[in-house]
Amino acid sequence: MSGLRVVPTWRHGQERLYVCLTNGRNIAWYDREAARINLLSEDRREDVLDVLGPFLTGRVAVGPPPVPTPAELARLSLHPDDDLAPNRPGEALQIALDRDPGPAHRIRRDPRQRALEAEQTVGEALDRLDGAGWHTLHSVPLPGGDRIHHLAIGPAGLFAVHTLYARKQRVTVADPMVALGRRDPQPLLRRVRADADRASYALTAEVHPVLVLVGSSGVALTRPPREVRVLGDADLEGLTRLGGVLKPADVEALHAMARDRHTWGKV
């Protein structure tokens, strides 16, 4: 017996299998997407290949991990408390609901649950863009208790994405007002633009505002909103077709900067 065990982990729908010693220390990992086994200890090469054998599919490369880029080194230097990358879609709402779930029996559904559902739907759609060279940060905290629901960074640029639960409702947009069904309109587009402006200031780069309507039955635009893209949750993949603005190295550098909590401390 080698004493090694395989621990699977998932991120953005992609699986990585870590090989650990009995004390929990990692000595290798298998990246299915890259078809590569990264060895931290060449001495245990045969043991690692043996324990991973049942999980391997097709030909795989084996060797030491690739040399990290400057952006990767910057990310590795972050304290876990300062790294925003692990945030789940709707992270702030999930924490609030865990702390205060509200009454056990209520006639109407907690609006926080609807908002969380919307952020999770949009977050999962954005995370699926990873394979196209995109990175997305969720629930980015801003001073004063505000937050950016999602910050998407990719070849087409940077996008501050605000989500709105609109299931089976017709949405009327009359810049800056947004109305769900027969409810009173609210100046939501001001908030969407303000979030993008604050992100632009923090990252010293142009950030485009986006409003995503989750599950709406239709949208009426009295006139095109100024600067803001209004999309349905099924339209997010279209961001990948907007054309190349940023090089891969720029995307990585901006992502490394954006995931650092200190970046957002004075915006």
Side-chain angles (χ1 to χ4, degrees):
M1 297 293 288
S2 65
L4 302 180
R5 60 192 180 97
V6 177
V7 179
T9 63
W10 289 86
R11 178 154 177 80
H12 303 333
Q14 297 180 357
E15 185 179 24
R16 177 177 284 187
L17 301 175
Y18 284 92
V19 179
C20 304
L21 299 171
T22 54
N23 62 6
R25 184 168 66 87
N26 298 323
I27 62 168
W29 69 89
Y30 171 38
D31 188 334
R32 289 186 187 274
E33 187 74 16
R36 179 180 177 83
I37 297 173
N38 295 284
L39 291 171
L40 298 179
S41 175
E42 185 67 31
D43 294 342
R44 303 297 301 270
R45 180 188 182 99
E46 295 305 319
D47 290 337
V48 167
L49 292 176
D50 183 60
V51 74
L52 282 175
F55 303 96
L56 301 180
T57 55
R59 295 174 62 87
V60 297
V62 183
V67 176
T69 65
E72 289 169 333
L73 289 173
R75 292 198 296 269
L76 291 171
S77 68
L78 281 178
H79 188 280
D81 291 343
D82 295 328
D83 189 356
L84 301 177
N87 280 7
R88 302 162 293 177
E91 180 80 22
L93 285 170
Q94 294 191 57
I95 292 173
L97 284 165
D98 288 342
R99 290 176 176 172
D100 178 20
H105 303 286
R106 56 190 306 161
I107 298 176
R108 295 182 180 275
R109 188 182 179 195
D110 190 325
R112 295 177 299 172
Q113 289 283 1
R114 295 195 293 269
L116 175 59
E117 180 182 320
E119 290 192 40
Q120 289 175 331
T121 297
V122 172
E124 290 167 3
L126 290 171
D127 284 343
R128 288 195 292 271
L129 303 183
D130 272 13
W134 288 72
H135 294 293
T136 303
L137 297 171
H138 306 291
S139 208
V140 177
L142 300 173
D146 293 331
R147 62 190 177 88
I148 296 172
H149 292 177
H150 315 277
L151 181 69
I153 306 171
L158 296 92
F159 300 85
V161 180
H162 188 94
T163 67
L164 181 64
Y165 182 91
R167 183 172 175 79
K168 296 182 179 179
Q169 297 185 78
R170 185 167 180 80
V171 182
T172 302
V173 180
D175 194 359
M177 311 303 285
V178 177
L180 290 178
R182 297 181 179 178
R183 299 182 193 175
D184 292 336
Q186 302 293 327
L188 182 59
L189 296 190
R190 290 178 185 164
R191 159 78 187 277
V192 177
R193 280 191 286 262
D195 287 348
D197 287 344
R198 295 174 78 176
S200 295
Y201 180 83
L203 299 172
T204 61
E206 184 178 13
V207 178
H208 305 283
V210 179
L211 173 64
V212 180
L213 307 172
V214 178
S216 69
S217 61
V219 181
L221 297 174
T222 60
R223 59 181 180 275
R226 179 173 56 86
E227 300 174 349
V228 180
R229 285 182 171 85
V230 179
L231 305 174
D233 53 285
D235 302 325
L236 286 166
E237 188 177 347
L239 293 177
T240 64
R241 297 190 289 271
L242 292 179
V245 175
L246 298 176
K247 297 177 181 178
D250 297 328
V251 172
E252 293 297 328
L254 285 164
H255 180 237
M257 182 179 182
R259 67 187 292 177
D260 185 348
R261 187 181 299 273
H262 294 103
T263 298
W264 306 95
K266 296 181 180 180
V267 297

